[in-house]
Structure formats: structure tokens, C-alpha cells
Amino acid sequence: MRADDLFKAMNGIDEKFLEESENTENGRNKILKIRRYVVVAACACFAIAIGLYVPNAFRMGRSDLAYEESFETAEESNDAIYDEKSEGAALEVEGEAASDSIYAYNISLYINDEYVDVSWEDNEAVNAIKEVLVDGDITLEMSPYGGFEVYSKIDLSIPAQDEQLTAESGDIVLYNGDTFAVLYDSNTADYTKLGKIYNLSNEELKELLENESVTIALRLE
Amino acid sequence: MILEDNEIVNLYWERNESAISHTDTKYGAFCHMIAWNILHQNEDCEECVNDTWLKAWNSMPPEKPDALKYFLSAITRNLSLDCYRRKHSQKRGGGQTDVVLEELEECLSRSVGPESEVLAKELTKIINGFLGDLSVRERKVFIRRYYFVESTAEIAKRYALTETNVRMILSRTRKKLAVILREEGYVL
């Protein structure tokens, strides 16, 4: 008997074992996911608490001063209150504009320095990538996998919302919460969808991605 | 529209040629991935996948598989391995497939026994018994390596393991398989 015979004998492996192997979730992954969600939720609560407390404390401090000044003429005290309110309102508007501004920007994607049009999803994962891009571009060296995608691990905390998807050519996905992939043929797996490349035919996309060396750059523009 | 497996199999039995296009839509990428892992050449992969459809057409009827996906993947694996052997008969390619087959050779050291269909079925039964006794993680890693011919890097990525971990699991499971094959008389 040769290795080829042993290899071919595996054609009869029980279907339930083969299906089981296609499930990427394992106990450790589940625990890491739960831990990640707990940390993200805790940070979100903390950020909301800070967001509510600081402006309130600021306004309370200024209104104490306004109260002390109320012994002056009524006109002067009214002016002081008016100034404080309009300044507080201006600070609020500035704060809102600052927090909204990065989400108004778009992520530009370049494959081997060639810009490609992408329609990005409006979800937490894409917003998290935008927040990271504020500090600088992300450059990924991609590796081929399975004859249908190029992928790269990303060392970032991106909130994943995986669901079983049949991803098509041009889809940009997050996989296992830490792997960025671009598909040039279809595949079904647990993915978080990030976006879709358009204005490129399947052949053009395959030509770009079926190269020995593929670099993908993400920029906020 | 993606049909259920039994609907596609019925099309084969009715000798309806749309069975092939439905099969390609549903399992084309999957069979291509299997062929790619063995051959790493797009032209050869396409040839093997097309030959898979032809073999499927010629075998249904009388075959009526419950799980069409793995019925097709078995055909693709066989065709891809035969194609690989034809192309690499003169030299060792040094690619993933060579390494996988060398690893399987370790389980056989000095094998005996005629290569008959009866013994092949017995061997499959032994392999399933062996897999059933493994832990879930060991079984998944073993199958991704020796059924799907994935690299240790790809398996590590799939299951969030390190490559070292994957190699250790494979080494352990091969040794267990070698012991079982010896006990069953396939190996001296």
C-alpha cells in the first residue's frame, strides 16, 4: 500500500467529520469573542459616562460663577448667563462635529498602488477601521488562499459581527475578527462584510489579485 | 437559484444537462479549492473540475449520494492527485502535496497487503474509527491537512492556532494512525 492509497481511502471519511472541519469556531474563539465584546461594551459605557459628565461639570462650574456675579447689576448678570450658555452651546456643537467628522470621510483602497472603487458597509467594523486610519495608513501584505481570496492578519481590535455569508468576487470581508480578506471568487463562511469593489470586472480583479505579491493600502481621504 | 442537493441529483437521474450548471454554481468554488490545494495551477484545476462534472454525469445514475458536496470532492481529490502524479512523475515538486504524501508515508513504513477494493473499504472504516477516537480539534486539523491538503499556515489561521501547535497535532495523530494500521495488519 502506498501513500496515494491512504490518501484516496480518505475519500470515504464520514460526512459529519468533513462538515465539522469546515466550522472555524472553536471553544477558544468563542471565549475570545465574548471577552472582546465585554471589553468593547465596558469601554463604550465609560466613554458615554465621560461624555456626559465632563460637559456637565464644566457648565456647573461656570454657573456657580454666574450665581456669584448675580449681585452685580441685573443687566451684567444676564449678559454673563447669556455668554455662558452660548459658549457652552458652541462647545457642544464643536464636540459633535469633531466626533462625526471621521465618519464623514471615506476609506480609499489601493491594490498594488492602483486605486479601486469600493462601496463600504455602514457598520461598527468599518467605523473601527476609520478610527485606526486617523493615526495613519494601513498597509497589508496579502497572501493567497484557496484559489478564491487574498488575506492578511490585522493586528487591530475590530468588532466582528460574523454571519454565514456566500461572499462573491469583489467582496471585502473580515474573518475570525482579525483577518482582512478580498475575494475574487465565491466562498461560503462566517464573515463580517466590510465592503464591495465595483467598477472592475471579475477578470480585471483576478488579474490584480492573482499575483505573487499583492499589497493593499487603506487610507482615510 | 441554488438548488438543494437532492434536486440536483434528481436532475442527473433525469439526464437533464442543467444538472452540471447547477453543480458548478453550488460547488464549483469548493471543488476548485480542493484541486488548487493539490495542484496550485489554475489551468490544471479547471481541467480537474471539468472532469469532475463529467465523472459525476457518468456516475449518476446509478449513484445517488446523500451528500453531493463530498461525493464531488472525492472525485476531485482523486483526479487532482492523478494529475499531480502525471505532472510530477519525473521529479519531486517540493510543494505542499509532496509534503502531505510524505507525511502519510510515515504511517506506512513497511506496508503489506494487496490493493483490492475490499481492503480499500476496510481501510476507510479503520480511518473513520481512528477519527472518531480523536478529540474534535485533532480530528479537524487532521482532516484539513490530509483530506483538504491545506498548509499548516492555513490550518493555523482557520482555527486560531499557532503553526507549531498544528504540526504537533499532526505528528501525534499520524503516530496514532500508524499504530492502528500496524494493529490491523496493514503495516509490519
Side-chain angles (χ1 to χ4, degrees):
Chain A
M1 183 170 59
R2 303 174 310 155
D4 287 24
D5 302 310
L6 187 51
F7 182 86
K8 287 183 179 178
M10 292 190 191
N11 286 339
I13 286 179
D14 210 310
E15 289 141 20
K16 66 175 188 282
F17 292 154
L18 295 173
E19 276 170 14
E20 177 191 61
S21 79
E22 300 205 65
N23 178 8
T24 56
E25 282 270 322
N26 58 37
R28 181 168 172 268
N29 271 354
K30 283 182 185 152
I31 290 167
L32 285 175
K33 256 193 187 171
I34 291 167
R35 201 188 299 172
R36 202 180 295 143
Y37 287 137
V38 167
V39 168
V40 167
C43 288
C45 290
F46 183 69
I48 290 167
I50 291 288
L52 288 172
Y53 176 74
V54 168
N56 279 337
F58 186 75
R59 279 198 292 275
M60 278 165 62
R62 293 299 293 266
S63 68
D64 281 349
L65 282 174
Y67 181 76
E68 281 176 13
E69 288 165 0
S70 69
F71 291 107
E72 296 172 14
T73 61
E75 196 178 298
E76 282 176 348
S77 66
N78 281 341
D79 283 346
I81 291 167
Y82 179 79
D83 285 344
E84 170 211 314
K85 277 189 181 169
S86 61
E87 196 175 329
L91 280 170
E92 275 188 58
V93 167
E94 197 182 302
E96 281 170 14
S99 68
D100 283 344
S101 63
I102 61 160
Y103 303 121
Y105 284 85
N106 200 26
I107 302 176
S108 293
L109 187 142
Y110 296 81
I111 301 176
N112 290 342
D113 293 328
E114 186 176 324
Y115 174 81
V116 293
D117 288 311
V118 176
S119 166
W120 294 99
E121 296 289 310
D122 181 16
N123 60 28
E124 282 176 29
V126 171
N127 285 341
I129 293 174
K130 284 185 182 180
E131 284 164 15
V132 172
L133 288 173
V134 168
D135 293 328
D137 299 347
I138 296 172
T139 303
L140 304 167
E141 299 298 327
M142 311 299 281
S143 303
Y145 177 68
F148 59 82
E149 72 174 34
V150 289
Y151 78 93
S152 174
K153 283 233 181 262
I154 44 172
D155 193 18
L156 303 166
S157 298
I158 307 287
Q161 294 150 303
D162 286 354
E163 53 178 337
Q164 196 176 59
L165 291 179
T166 297
E168 304 290 333
S169 173
D171 281 349
I172 303 168
V173 298
L174 190 68
Y175 180 73
N176 268 352
D178 64 353
T179 306
F180 180 94
V182 181
L183 281 87
Y184 52 92
D185 208 335
S186 61
N187 187 55
T188 303
D190 289 350
Y191 292 127
T192 300
K193 189 156 178 198
L194 298 177
K196 183 154 188 96
I197 294 171
Y198 62 95
N199 284 344
L200 275 183
S201 67
N202 285 351
E203 287 71 38
E204 284 167 334
L205 186 60
K206 247 187 174 176
E207 212 179 329
L208 269 181
L209 295 177
E210 277 191 333
N211 273 317
E212 274 184 47
S213 168
V214 176
T215 303
I216 285 183
L218 300 171
R219 290 177 200 149
L220 206 59
E221 293 179 343
Chain B
M1 190 180 72
I2 295 182
L3 301 182
E4 295 294 327
D5 282 2
N6 62 319
E7 289 174 313
I8 297 175
V9 170
N10 285 341
L11 289 174
Y12 280 102
W13 274 67
E14 289 162 12
R15 307 317 281 162
N16 185 331
E17 288 179 8
S18 69
I20 309 260
S21 56
H22 283 290
T23 306
D24 191 29
T25 301
K26 192 168 184 183
Y27 295 122
F30 178 71
C31 290
H32 188 270
M33 177 203 70
I34 300 232
W36 170 266
N37 283 348
I38 296 170
L39 297 166
H40 287 279
Q41 293 280 342
N42 263 328
E43 274 175 25
D44 293 340
C45 288
E46 278 178 31
E47 195 183 312
C48 283
V49 170
N50 287 334
D51 285 346
T52 300
W53 305 156
L54 179 61
K55 278 221 159 190
W57 179 259
N58 289 338
S59 57
M60 290 185 278
E63 297 282 355
K64 203 163 198 180
D66 292 322
L68 183 60
K69 183 179 188 181
Y70 300 117
F71 175 77
L72 296 169
S73 67
I75 298 173
T76 307
R77 285 178 88 243
N78 283 350
L79 289 171
S80 301
L81 183 63
D82 292 343
C83 178
Y84 181 84
R85 282 301 188 206
R86 279 196 307 276
K87 303 227 164 190
H88 293 83
S89 57
Q90 300 304 316
K91 57 180 170 41
R92 282 212 172 280
Q96 200 61 235
T97 310
D98 267 344
V99 178
V100 164
L101 292 169
E102 278 170 14
E103 288 172 7
L104 288 176
E105 280 288 350
E106 283 177 22
C107 304
L108 300 173
S109 55
R110 281 154 57 201
S111 68
V112 296
E115 291 142 22
S116 71
E117 199 179 306
V118 171
L119 277 179
K121 282 191 177 147
E122 281 296 315
L123 184 55
T124 301
K125 216 169 137 188
I126 288 163
I127 289 169
N128 277 319
F130 153 74
L131 289 172
D133 288 339
L134 295 178
S135 69
V136 172
R137 189 170 73 173
E138 286 178 330
R139 184 164 54 239
K140 281 165 138 178
V141 169
F142 186 91
I143 286 173
R144 291 321 295 187
R145 181 68 169 161
Y146 300 117
Y147 185 92
F148 290 102
V149 196
E150 286 187 355
S151 68
T152 51
E154 287 167 338
I155 297 169
K157 171 198 168 194
R158 178 181 283 276
Y159 298 130
L161 299 169
T162 63
E163 274 193 66
T164 309
N165 215 327
V166 169
R167 280 194 286 270
M168 274 174 54
I169 291 171
L170 290 172
S171 173
R172 253 198 330 263
T173 48
R174 283 200 304 274
K175 283 181 182 143
K176 284 184 191 175
L177 180 59
V179 165
I180 289 170
L181 290 175
R182 201 175 307 125
E183 285 170 1
E184 295 289 338
Y186 282 87
V187 175
L188 287 178

